[in-house]
């Protein structure tokens, strides 16, 4: 993986915090396993490098920022066996093609913001870069499929991977209501549209999640909380009543009172013992300390900087993190083949 | 034009979202999908919001597939499945860890039938590690992967991403791992076992902010703001919500010019966030959404409307990109569905046939691929080993 950077380096190298040496932690988490060469946009070396490659990855924001023009037809004509994947906010064709944007704009236009957050408030973006990461995975699949095809056909491909497409593709739990009833579903907080109680709840020392999926689990939960008498109560007995605003409010009050004198750990142990689905809400520090995440080798450390491990656990070809993110132009000894 | 995975055969033993959507993605890339489902049909067929008597979500996840119901708990059913798997390149399953072993369908067993098979398992926590036995709901996984802690505002509760992020990204990661494994298979003839963990993937999704762990304040929930760059936020216009988000120095320079603010260095932009946001609040509030976005874009400042589900569904651009498509269903007529997210010069992405009825392709698949006679198919149907669609 050869990372071609402008002479001043990828802009992420200077993103705070701790960007003093031009290799910010934010840069390092995304660039392990890569070699770096710094090249000016108009250098013929750039063209030579592309000629040597199997796969070319570009993104619109970076190309625009550096005035690099690589139209699809030029790429296809000059390098017919190249697999070129271009990432952009709105794609290479269509009325919005070429519009500037990034993660927040893609989430806003793509319906992610309108479906995240709590009713009555300004909706929220997904905190992590959902549109970008999903586009990256879909682009990865498209590239590898094209490589599979090339082995037989000898032909390259120009792949047009947009963040908008990647976001809208995620909306299948919200689209049915609109298409079938004309209603426009909005954010539900942490609740589930179709079952209750299902939410985050405060404990003595933090938050936890409880996801009650059916009547039996709810009745077990009511008994655990010492409310045997409510099992047959009109607002508790059946999910149809529990999902009404009155049902949700009634149960949430009982649950909140029950959890008030328990730590998250105590409550989760108790609920799991009684087969009530529940889980903690980990902040990033807790995630770093999570035994499961560690056992899966999901945290690698190079020079004190954390890099995510590979999500590809494969028996024959396991994903690997071989080396840390490069310094700018660390691999400038690259030479085009004679 | 030819779809890149043409000729690749996938057997899907999935339920609900992760397995079926992973197979659907491969079908969009041209693979042939045989959906092996229970005789009564896969569970997601019964979910709410139905088209005809089948849930809308099932229609979305199961376009392009052929349905072959098999009772794999019977000896004869398992034999039929193994014959199919002998002819397949890929198998996908998304059952709870341990289920496939219990059913005699685990990787070690299936590898004995077809050593070249790529066997992809998708589960909440993967097939290794102390939590692998935990059952997974999308919300629990988002909570346990730091994703909820990053979403929402600092003074509000941790918030889940509205859509089922863990399910979805597990499907996409599975599709990417399988296409990589196809190269290994082409070179060596060898299959392998892929075990994808939704928890791994949600944790990886959070990695952008791991860098903040070493700062004094630590990672915070920042609402719609970016942790390191400003301004990025959502602003109220006269008639809606406008997202504005600069990412590069050029874009920030353009915004400062537009707002009459002196130039700001992008790496120090968080220090100017309050002032820049205050100007944007005022600027956007006195304009319509369309006008705000038009002016910002004319200055090359990234901006966009916060589109509701109705806006996304009605925006002609969504249809122009074929992200929403209309498929003709033989019984239900025209059905609006999600299209293919894969656009390439070699293939626009395959969205070919609507989701199958239960057993719609049993006869076709078993006769064409396995050479079964009509009498054999009738016998297996009679014994309730397989099911054939009545129509």
């Amino acid at each position: 993986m050869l990372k071609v950077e402008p002479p001043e380096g990828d802009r992420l190298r200077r993103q705070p915090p701790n960007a003093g040496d031009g290799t910010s932690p934010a840069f390092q988490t995304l660039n392990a396993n890569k070699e770096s060469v710094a090249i000016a946009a108009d250098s013929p070396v750039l063209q030579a490098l592309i000629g040597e490659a199997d796969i070319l990855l570009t993104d619109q924001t970076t190309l625009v920022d550096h005035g690099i023009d690589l139209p699809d037809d030029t790429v296809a004509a000059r390098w017919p066996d190249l697999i070129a994947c271009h990432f952009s906010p709105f794609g290479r064709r269509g009325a919005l093609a070429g519009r500037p944007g990034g993660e927040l704009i893609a989430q806003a236009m793509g319906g992610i913001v309108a479906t995240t957050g709590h009713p009555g408030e300004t909706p929220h973006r997904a905190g992590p870069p959902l549109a970008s990461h999903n586009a990256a995975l879909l682009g990865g699949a498209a590239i590898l499929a094209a490589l599979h095809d090339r082995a037989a056909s000898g032909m390259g491909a120009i792949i047009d991977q947009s963040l908008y497409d990647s976001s809208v593709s995620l909306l299948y739990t919200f689209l049915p209501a609109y298409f079938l009833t004309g209603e426009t579903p909005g954010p539900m907080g942490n609740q589930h549209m179709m079952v209750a109680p299902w939410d985050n709840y405060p404990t003595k020392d933090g938050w936890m999640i409880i996801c009650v999926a059916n009547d039996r689990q709810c009745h077990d939960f009511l008994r655990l909380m010492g409310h045997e008498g409510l099992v047959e109560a009109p607002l508790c007995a059946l999910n149809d009543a529990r999902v009404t605003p009155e049902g949700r409010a009634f149960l949430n009050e009982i649950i909140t009172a029950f959890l008030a004198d328990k730590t998250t750990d105590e409550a989760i142990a108790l609920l799991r013992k009684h087969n009530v689905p529940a889980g903690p809400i980990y902040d990033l520090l807790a995630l770093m300390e999570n035994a499961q995440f560690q056992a899966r080798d999901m945290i690698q450390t190079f020079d004190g900087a954390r890099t995510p491990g590979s999500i590809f656990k494969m028996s024959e070809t396991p994903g690997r993190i071989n080396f840390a993110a490069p310094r700018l132009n660390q691999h400038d000894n690259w030479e085009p083949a004679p | 034009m030819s779809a890149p995975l043409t000729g690749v055969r996938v057997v899907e033993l999935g339920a609900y979202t992760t397995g079926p959507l992973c197979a659907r993605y491969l079908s969009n890339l041209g693979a042939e999908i045989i959906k092996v489902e229970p005789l009564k049909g896969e569970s997601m067929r019964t979910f709410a919001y139905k088209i005809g008597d089948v849930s809308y979500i099932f229609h979305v996840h199961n376009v392009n597939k052929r349905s072959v119901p098999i009772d794999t708990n019977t000896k004869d059913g398992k034999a039929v499945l193994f014959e199919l798997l002998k002819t397949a390149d890929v198998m996908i399953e998304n059952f709870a860890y341990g289920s496939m072993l219990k059913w005699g369908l685990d990787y070690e067993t299936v590898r004995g039938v077809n050593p070249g098979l790529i066997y992809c398992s998708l589960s909440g926590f993967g097939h290794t590690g102390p939590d692998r036995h935990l059952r997974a709901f999308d919300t629990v996984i988002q909570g346990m992967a730091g994703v909820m802690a990053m979403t929402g505002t600092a003074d509000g509760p941790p918030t889940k991403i509205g859509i089922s992020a863990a399910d979805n990204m597990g499907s996409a990661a599975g599709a990417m791992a399988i296409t990589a494994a196809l190269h290994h298979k082409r070179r060596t003839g060898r299959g392998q076992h892929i075990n994808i963990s939704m928890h791994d993937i949600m944790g990886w999704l959070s990695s952008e902010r791991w860098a903040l762990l070493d700062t004094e304040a630590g990672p915070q929930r920042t609402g719609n703001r970016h942790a390191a760059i400003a301004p990025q936020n959502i602003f109220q216009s006269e008639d809606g919500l406008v997202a504005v988000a600069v990412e590069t120095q050029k874009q920030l320079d353009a915004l400062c010019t537009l707002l009459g603010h002196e130039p700001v260095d992008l790496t120090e932009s968080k220090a100017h966030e309050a002032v820049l946001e205050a100007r944007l609040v005022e600027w956007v509030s006195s304009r319509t959404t369309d006008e705000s976005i038009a002016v910002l874009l004319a200055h090359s400042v990234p901006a966009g409307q916060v589109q509701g589900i109705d806006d996304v569904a009605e925006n002609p651009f969504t249809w122009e990109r074929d992200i929403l498509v209309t498929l003709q269903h033989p019984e239900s007529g025209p059905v609006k569905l999600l299209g293919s997210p894969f656009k390439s010069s070699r293939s626009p992405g395959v969205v070919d046939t609507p989701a199958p009825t239960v057993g719609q392709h049993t006869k076709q698949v078993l006769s064409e691929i396995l050479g079964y006679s009509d009498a054999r198919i009738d016998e297996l149907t009679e014994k309730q080993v397989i099911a054939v669609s009545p129509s």
Side-chain angles (χ1 to χ4, degrees), chain A residues 65 93-95 108-109 115-116 118 123 125 127 144 148-149 158 160-161 164-165 172 178 190 198 282 292 296 313-317, chain B residues 17 125 128-131 143-144 151 158-160 162 168 183-184 190 192-193 195 200 224 250 307 314 318 320-321 341 343 345-346:
Chain A
D65 203 26
R93 68 173 179 87
M109 293 284 286
T115 51
T116 300
H118 299 270
R125 58 165 284 174
L144 290 162
H148 180 81
D149 175 57
I158 310 276
D160 175 13
Q161 200 70 46
Y164 182 77
D165 295 356
Y172 59 81
Y178 178 72
N190 295 322
W198 180 299
Y282 289 150
Q292 177 68 16
R296 301 272 296 175
K313 307 300 188 202
M314 302 165 75
S315 61
E316 286 270 319
T317 56
Chain B
T17 290
F125 294 90
T128 58
D131 287 347
M144 291 180 71
T151 303
T159 303
K160 85 181 201 79
N168 278 293
H183 289 281
H184 183 68
R190 294 173 67 88
Q192 58 179 313
H193 184 212
N195 88 87
D200 283 358
N224 287 313
K250 281 182 189 170
Q307 292 202 108
E314 301 301 334
T318 315
E320 191 182 4
R321 290 282 296 175
K343 314 288 174 199
S345 57
R346 296 269 291 152

Coordinates of all heavy atoms in Angstrom, one line a residue, chain A residues 65 93-95 108-109 115-116 118 123 125 127 144 148-149 158 160-161 164-165 172 178 190 198 282 292 296 313-317, chain B residues 17 125 128-131 143-144 151 158-160 162 168 183-184 190 192-193 195 200 224 250 307 314 318 320-321 341 343 345-346:
Chain A
D65 N -8.6 19.7 -3.4 CA -7.7 20.5 -2.6 C -6.4 20.7 -3.2 O -5.7 21.7 -3.1 CB -7.6 19.8 -1.2 CG -7.1 20.7 -0.1 OD1 -7.5 21.9 -0.2 OD2 -6.5 20.3 0.8
R93 N -21.6 10.8 -11.1 CA -22.7 11.1 -12.0 C -23.9 11.5 -11.2 O -24.1 11.1 -10.1 CB -22.9 10.0 -13.0 CG -23.5 8.8 -12.4 CD -23.9 7.7 -13.4 NE -24.5 6.6 -12.7 CZ -25.8 6.5 -12.4 NH1 -26.7 7.4 -12.7 NH2 -26.2 5.4 -11.7
G94 N -24.8 12.2 -11.9 CA -26.1 12.6 -11.2 C -26.0 14.1 -10.9 O -25.0 14.8 -11.0
A95 N -27.2 14.6 -10.5 CA -27.4 16.1 -10.4 C -26.5 16.7 -9.3 O -26.1 17.8 -9.3 CB -28.8 16.4 -10.0
A108 N -26.1 13.9 7.0 CA -27.2 14.8 7.0 C -28.1 14.6 5.8 O -29.3 14.4 5.9 CB -26.8 16.3 7.0
M109 N -27.5 14.5 4.6 CA -28.2 14.3 3.3 C -28.7 12.9 3.2 O -29.8 12.6 2.6 CB -27.4 14.6 2.1 CG -27.0 16.1 2.0 SD -28.3 17.1 1.3 CE -28.3 16.6 -0.4
T115 N -32.5 10.4 11.7 CA -33.0 9.2 12.4 C -32.2 8.9 13.7 O -32.3 7.8 14.3 CB -32.9 7.9 11.5 OG1 -31.6 7.8 10.9 CG2 -34.0 8.1 10.4
T116 N -31.3 9.8 14.1 CA -30.4 9.6 15.3 C -30.7 10.7 16.3 O -30.7 11.9 15.9 CB -29.0 9.5 14.9 OG1 -28.8 8.4 14.0 CG2 -28.1 9.3 16.1
H118 N -32.8 12.1 20.0 CA -34.0 12.0 20.9 C -35.1 12.8 20.4 O -34.9 13.9 19.9 CB -33.6 12.4 22.3 CG -32.5 11.5 22.9 ND1 -32.7 10.3 23.5 CD2 -31.1 11.5 22.8 CE1 -31.6 9.7 23.8 NE2 -30.6 10.4 23.4
P123 N -31.7 16.7 15.8 CA -31.1 15.3 15.7 C -29.6 15.4 15.7 O -29.0 16.4 15.5 CB -31.7 14.8 14.4 CG -32.0 16.1 13.6 CD -32.4 17.1 14.6
R125 N -25.7 13.6 14.5 CA -24.9 12.7 13.6 C -24.6 11.4 14.4 O -24.5 11.5 15.7 CB -23.7 13.4 13.1 CG -22.7 13.9 14.2 CD -21.3 14.2 13.7 NE -20.6 12.9 13.4 CZ -19.4 12.9 12.9 NH1 -18.8 14.0 12.4 NH2 -18.8 11.8 12.7
G127 N -21.9 9.6 16.1 CA -20.6 10.1 16.5 C -19.4 9.6 15.6 O -18.7 10.4 15.1
L144 N -12.2 -5.6 -4.7 CA -11.8 -7.0 -4.8 C -12.6 -7.8 -5.8 O -12.1 -8.7 -6.4 CB -11.9 -7.6 -3.3 CG -10.8 -7.0 -2.4 CD1 -11.2 -7.2 -0.9 CD2 -9.4 -7.5 -2.7
H148 N -11.1 -9.8 -9.0 CA -11.5 -11.2 -9.3 C -11.9 -11.2 -10.8 O -11.5 -12.2 -11.5 CB -12.7 -11.6 -8.4 CG -13.2 -12.9 -8.6 ND1 -12.6 -14.0 -8.1 CD2 -14.2 -13.4 -9.3 CE1 -13.2 -15.1 -8.4 NE2 -14.2 -14.8 -9.2
D149 N -12.7 -10.3 -11.2 CA -13.1 -10.2 -12.6 C -11.9 -10.0 -13.6 O -11.8 -10.7 -14.6 CB -14.1 -9.1 -12.8 CG -14.5 -8.9 -14.2 OD1 -15.1 -9.8 -14.8 OD2 -14.4 -7.7 -14.7
I158 N -13.7 1.2 -13.4 CA -13.7 2.5 -12.7 C -14.9 2.4 -11.7 O -16.1 2.3 -12.1 CB -14.0 3.7 -13.7 CG1 -13.0 3.6 -14.8 CG2 -13.9 5.0 -12.9 CD1 -11.7 4.2 -14.6
D160 N -17.3 3.9 -8.7 CA -17.8 5.3 -8.3 C -18.5 5.0 -6.9 O -19.6 4.6 -6.9 CB -18.8 5.7 -9.4 CG -19.5 7.0 -9.0 OD1 -19.1 7.7 -8.0 OD2 -20.5 7.4 -9.7
Q161 N -17.8 5.2 -5.8 CA -18.3 4.9 -4.5 C -18.7 6.2 -3.8 O -17.8 7.0 -3.4 CB -17.3 4.1 -3.7 CG -17.8 3.3 -2.6 CD -18.7 2.1 -3.1 OE1 -18.3 1.4 -3.9 NE2 -19.9 2.0 -2.5
Y164 N -23.1 9.3 0.0 CA -24.5 9.4 0.0 C -25.2 8.0 -0.3 O -26.0 7.6 0.5 CB -25.0 10.4 -1.1 CG -26.5 10.6 -1.2 CD1 -27.1 11.4 -0.2 CD2 -27.3 10.0 -2.2 CE1 -28.5 11.6 -0.3 CE2 -28.6 10.2 -2.2 CZ -29.2 11.1 -1.3 OH -30.6 11.3 -1.3
D165 N -24.7 7.3 -1.3 CA -25.2 5.9 -1.6 C -25.0 5.1 -0.3 O -25.9 4.3 0.0 CB -24.5 5.3 -2.7 CG -24.7 6.0 -4.1 OD1 -25.4 7.0 -4.1 OD2 -24.0 5.6 -5.0
Y172 N -33.0 0.9 5.5 CA -34.1 0.0 5.3 C -35.0 -0.3 6.5 O -36.1 -0.8 6.3 CB -33.5 -1.4 4.7 CG -32.6 -2.0 5.7 CD1 -33.0 -2.8 6.8 CD2 -31.2 -1.9 5.5 CE1 -32.2 -3.3 7.7 CE2 -30.3 -2.4 6.4 CZ -30.8 -3.2 7.5 OH -29.9 -3.7 8.4
Y178 N -42.3 4.8 5.6 CA -42.7 5.9 4.7 C -43.4 5.4 3.4 O -44.4 5.9 3.0 CB -41.4 6.7 4.3 CG -41.7 7.7 3.3 CD1 -42.4 8.9 3.7 CD2 -41.4 7.6 2.0 CE1 -42.8 9.8 2.8 CE2 -41.8 8.6 1.0 CZ -42.5 9.7 1.4 OH -42.8 10.6 0.5
N190 N -32.9 6.0 22.2 CA -32.4 4.6 22.3 C -33.5 3.6 22.4 O -33.2 2.4 22.6 CB -31.4 4.5 23.5 CG -30.2 5.4 23.3 OD1 -29.7 5.5 22.2 ND2 -29.8 6.0 24.4
W198 N -37.0 -0.9 26.1 CA -35.8 -1.1 25.3 C -35.2 0.3 25.3 O -35.6 1.2 24.6 CB -36.1 -1.5 23.9 CG -35.0 -1.8 22.9 CD1 -34.1 -0.8 22.5 CD2 -34.7 -3.0 22.3 NE1 -33.2 -1.4 21.6 CE2 -33.6 -2.7 21.5 CE3 -35.2 -4.3 22.3 CZ2 -33.0 -3.7 20.7 CZ3 -34.6 -5.2 21.5 CH2 -33.5 -4.9 20.7
Y282 N -20.0 1.2 27.2 CA -18.6 1.5 27.4 C -18.2 2.8 26.8 O -18.5 3.1 25.6 CB -17.7 0.4 26.7 CG -17.8 -1.0 27.4 CD1 -17.6 -2.2 26.7 CD2 -18.0 -1.1 28.8 CE1 -17.7 -3.4 27.3 CE2 -18.0 -2.3 29.4 CZ -17.9 -3.5 28.7 OH -17.9 -4.7 29.3
Q292 N -12.9 -8.9 25.7 CA -13.2 -9.5 24.3 C -12.5 -8.7 23.2 O -11.9 -9.4 22.3 CB -14.7 -9.3 24.1 CG -15.3 -9.8 22.8 CD -15.1 -11.3 22.6 OE1 -15.0 -12.1 23.5 NE2 -15.2 -11.7 21.3
R296 N -9.5 -10.4 20.8 CA -9.6 -10.4 19.3 C -8.5 -9.6 18.6 O -8.5 -9.3 17.4 CB -10.9 -9.8 18.9 CG -12.2 -10.6 19.4 CD -12.6 -11.7 18.6 NE -13.1 -11.4 17.3 CZ -13.5 -12.2 16.3 NH1 -13.4 -13.5 16.6 NH2 -13.9 -11.8 15.1
K313 N -11.0 -11.6 10.4 CA -10.5 -12.8 11.0 C -10.7 -13.9 10.1 O -11.8 -14.4 9.9 CB -11.2 -13.0 12.4 CG -11.2 -11.8 13.3 CD -9.8 -11.4 13.7 CE -9.8 -10.3 14.8 NZ -8.6 -9.5 14.8
M314 N -9.6 -14.4 9.5 CA -9.7 -15.4 8.4 C -8.7 -16.5 8.7 O -7.5 -16.2 9.0 CB -9.5 -14.8 7.1 CG -10.5 -13.6 6.8 SD -10.1 -12.5 5.4 CE -10.5 -13.5 4.0
S315 N -9.1 -17.8 8.5 CA -8.3 -18.9 8.9 C -7.0 -19.0 8.1 O -6.0 -19.4 8.5 CB -9.1 -20.2 9.0 OG -9.6 -20.5 7.7
E316 N -7.2 -18.7 6.8 CA -6.0 -18.9 5.8 C -5.3 -17.6 5.6 O -4.1 -17.6 5.4 CB -6.6 -19.4 4.5 CG -7.0 -20.9 4.5 CD -5.8 -21.8 4.1 OE1 -5.1 -21.5 3.2 OE2 -5.8 -22.9 4.8
T317 N -6.0 -16.5 5.5 CA -5.4 -15.2 5.2 C -5.8 -14.2 6.2 O -6.5 -13.2 5.9 CB -5.8 -14.8 3.8 OG1 -7.2 -14.7 3.8 CG2 -5.3 -15.7 2.7
Chain B
T17 N -30.9 -10.1 9.3 CA -30.2 -9.1 8.5 C -28.8 -9.5 8.1 O -28.5 -9.5 6.9 CB -30.2 -7.7 9.2 OG1 -31.5 -7.2 9.2 CG2 -29.3 -6.7 8.5
F125 N -20.1 -11.3 18.5 CA -18.8 -11.1 19.1 C -17.7 -12.0 18.5 O -16.6 -12.1 19.0 CB -18.8 -11.4 20.6 CG -19.7 -10.4 21.4 CD1 -21.1 -10.6 21.5 CD2 -19.1 -9.2 21.8 CE1 -21.8 -9.6 22.2 CE2 -19.9 -8.2 22.5 CZ -21.3 -8.4 22.6
T128 N -14.2 -16.3 18.7 CA -13.1 -16.4 19.7 C -13.4 -15.3 20.8 O -14.1 -14.4 20.6 CB -11.7 -16.2 19.1 OG1 -11.7 -14.9 18.5 CG2 -11.4 -17.2 18.1
G129 N -12.7 -15.5 21.9 CA -12.8 -14.5 23.0 C -13.8 -14.9 24.0 O -14.7 -15.7 23.8
P130 N -13.7 -14.3 25.2 CA -14.5 -14.7 26.4 C -16.0 -14.4 26.2 O -16.9 -15.0 26.8 CB -13.9 -13.9 27.5 CG -13.2 -12.8 26.9 CD -12.7 -13.3 25.6
D131 N -16.4 -13.4 25.4 CA -17.8 -13.0 25.2 C -18.4 -13.7 24.0 O -19.6 -13.3 23.6 CB -17.9 -11.5 25.0 CG -17.7 -10.7 26.3 OD1 -17.7 -11.4 27.4 OD2 -17.5 -9.5 26.3
G143 N -23.6 -0.2 22.3 CA -23.2 0.2 23.6 C -21.9 -0.3 24.1 O -21.1 0.4 24.7
M144 N -21.6 -1.5 23.7 CA -20.3 -2.2 24.2 C -19.1 -1.8 23.4 O -18.0 -2.3 23.7 CB -20.5 -3.7 24.3 CG -21.5 -4.1 25.5 SD -21.7 -5.8 25.6 CE -20.2 -6.4 26.3
T151 N -21.9 9.3 20.7 CA -23.0 9.8 19.9 C -24.0 10.6 20.8 O -24.4 10.0 21.9 CB -23.8 8.7 19.1 OG1 -22.8 8.1 18.3 CG2 -24.9 9.3 18.3
P158 N -25.7 8.8 26.5 CA -25.1 8.2 25.3 C -26.3 7.8 24.4 O -27.4 7.4 24.9 CB -24.5 6.9 25.9 CG -24.3 7.2 27.4 CD -25.4 8.1 27.7
T159 N -26.1 7.8 23.1 CA -27.1 7.7 22.1 C -26.8 6.7 21.1 O -25.6 6.7 20.6 CB -27.4 9.1 21.5 OG1 -27.7 10.0 22.5 CG2 -28.6 9.0 20.5
K160 N -27.7 5.8 20.7 CA -27.4 4.9 19.6 C -27.5 5.5 18.3 O -28.3 6.5 18.1 CB -28.3 3.6 19.8 CG -29.6 3.7 19.1 CD -30.4 2.4 19.3 CE -31.5 2.2 18.3 NZ -31.0 1.7 17.0
G162 N -29.3 5.7 14.9 CA -30.6 5.3 14.6 C -30.7 4.0 13.8 O -31.5 3.1 14.2
N168 N -25.5 -3.8 9.8 CA -25.1 -3.3 8.4 C -23.7 -3.5 8.1 O -23.3 -3.9 7.1 CB -25.5 -1.9 8.3 CG -26.9 -1.7 8.0 OD1 -27.4 -2.1 6.9 ND2 -27.7 -1.1 8.9
H183 N -9.9 -14.5 -4.0 CA -8.5 -14.4 -4.7 C -7.6 -15.5 -4.2 O -7.0 -16.2 -5.0 CB -7.8 -13.1 -4.4 CG -8.5 -11.9 -5.1 ND1 -8.2 -11.7 -6.4 CD2 -9.4 -11.0 -4.7 CE1 -9.0 -10.6 -6.8 NE2 -9.7 -10.2 -5.7
H184 N -7.7 -15.8 -2.9 CA -6.8 -16.8 -2.3 C -7.3 -18.2 -2.9 O -6.5 -19.0 -3.2 CB -7.0 -16.8 -0.8 CG -6.2 -17.8 -0.1 ND1 -4.8 -17.8 0.0 CD2 -6.5 -19.0 0.6 CE1 -4.3 -18.8 0.7 NE2 -5.3 -19.5 1.0
R190 N -7.8 -23.2 -2.2 CA -8.2 -23.4 -0.8 C -9.3 -22.5 -0.4 O -9.3 -21.3 -0.7 CB -7.0 -23.3 0.1 CG -5.9 -24.3 -0.1 CD -4.7 -24.0 0.7 NE -4.9 -24.1 2.1 CZ -4.7 -25.2 2.8 NH1 -4.4 -26.3 2.2 NH2 -4.9 -25.2 4.1
Q192 N -11.6 -21.2 3.2 CA -11.2 -20.9 4.6 C -12.4 -20.5 5.4 O -13.5 -20.4 4.9 CB -10.2 -19.8 4.6 CG -10.6 -18.5 3.9 CD -9.5 -17.4 4.0 OE1 -8.9 -17.2 5.1 NE2 -9.1 -16.8 2.9
H193 N -12.2 -20.4 6.7 CA -13.3 -19.9 7.6 C -13.0 -18.4 7.9 O -12.0 -18.1 8.4 CB -13.3 -20.8 8.9 CG -14.4 -20.4 9.8 ND1 -14.3 -20.5 11.2 CD2 -15.7 -20.0 9.5 CE1 -15.5 -20.1 11.7 NE2 -16.3 -19.8 10.7
N195 N -14.4 -15.5 10.3 CA -15.4 -15.2 11.4 C -15.3 -13.7 11.7 O -14.4 -13.1 12.2 CB -15.1 -16.1 12.6 CG -14.1 -15.6 13.6 OD1 -14.4 -14.8 14.5 ND2 -12.8 -16.0 13.4
D200 N -16.2 -6.2 17.0 CA -14.9 -5.7 16.4 C -15.2 -4.5 15.5 O -14.4 -3.5 15.5 CB -14.3 -6.8 15.5 CG -13.6 -8.0 16.3 OD1 -13.6 -7.9 17.5 OD2 -13.1 -8.9 15.6
N224 N -23.1 17.4 17.2 CA -22.8 17.4 15.7 C -21.5 18.0 15.4 O -21.2 18.2 14.2 CB -24.0 18.1 15.0 CG -25.2 17.2 15.0 OD1 -25.2 16.1 14.7 ND2 -26.4 17.8 15.4
K250 N -8.8 25.4 2.6 CA -9.4 26.2 1.5 C -10.9 26.5 1.8 O -11.4 27.6 1.6 CB -9.3 25.5 0.2 CG -7.9 25.7 -0.5 CD -7.9 25.0 -1.9 CE -6.5 25.0 -2.4 NZ -6.4 24.1 -3.6
Q307 N -31.8 15.8 5.5 CA -33.0 15.2 4.8 C -33.7 14.2 5.7 O -33.0 13.3 6.3 CB -32.5 14.5 3.5 CG -32.0 15.4 2.4 CD -32.1 14.8 1.1 OE1 -32.9 15.1 0.2 NE2 -31.2 13.8 0.8
E314 N -38.0 11.0 -1.8 CA -38.5 11.8 -2.9 C -37.5 12.5 -3.7 O -37.8 13.1 -4.7 CB -39.6 12.8 -2.3 CG -40.7 12.2 -1.6 CD -41.5 11.2 -2.4 OE1 -41.5 11.3 -3.7 OE2 -42.2 10.3 -1.8
T318 N -31.7 10.5 -5.6 CA -31.7 9.1 -5.0 C -32.0 8.1 -6.1 O -31.4 7.0 -6.2 CB -32.6 9.0 -3.8 OG1 -32.5 10.1 -3.0 CG2 -32.3 7.7 -3.0
E320 N -31.9 8.8 -9.4 CA -31.0 9.0 -10.5 C -29.8 8.1 -10.3 O -29.2 7.5 -11.2 CB -30.6 10.4 -10.6 CG -29.8 10.8 -11.8 CD -29.4 12.3 -11.8 OE1 -29.6 13.0 -10.8 OE2 -28.8 12.7 -12.8
R321 N -29.4 7.9 -9.0 CA -28.2 7.1 -8.7 C -28.6 5.6 -8.6 O -27.8 4.8 -8.2 CB -27.6 7.5 -7.3 CG -26.9 8.8 -7.3 CD -25.5 8.8 -7.9 NE -24.6 8.0 -7.2 CZ -23.3 7.7 -7.6 NH1 -22.9 8.2 -8.8 NH2 -22.5 7.0 -6.9
P341 N -25.4 -0.6 -4.0 CA -24.5 0.5 -3.6 C -23.2 0.4 -4.5 O -22.3 1.2 -4.2 CB -24.2 0.3 -2.1 CG -24.3 -1.2 -1.9 CD -25.4 -1.6 -3.0
K343 N -21.3 0.9 -7.9 CA -21.4 1.5 -9.3 C -20.0 1.4 -9.9 O -19.1 1.9 -9.4 CB -21.8 2.9 -9.2 CG -22.9 3.3 -8.3 CD -24.2 2.8 -8.8 CE -25.4 3.0 -7.8 NZ -26.5 2.2 -8.1
S345 N -17.8 0.9 -13.9 CA -17.9 1.0 -15.4 C -18.2 -0.3 -16.0 O -18.7 -0.4 -17.1 CB -16.5 1.6 -15.9 OG -15.5 0.8 -15.5
R346 N -17.9 -1.4 -15.3 CA -18.1 -2.7 -15.8 C -19.5 -3.2 -15.4 O -20.0 -4.2 -16.0 CB -17.1 -3.7 -15.2 CG -15.6 -3.4 -15.7 CD -15.3 -4.1 -17.0 NE -15.2 -5.6 -16.8 CZ -15.4 -6.5 -17.7 NH1 -15.8 -6.1 -18.9 NH2 -15.2 -7.7 -17.4

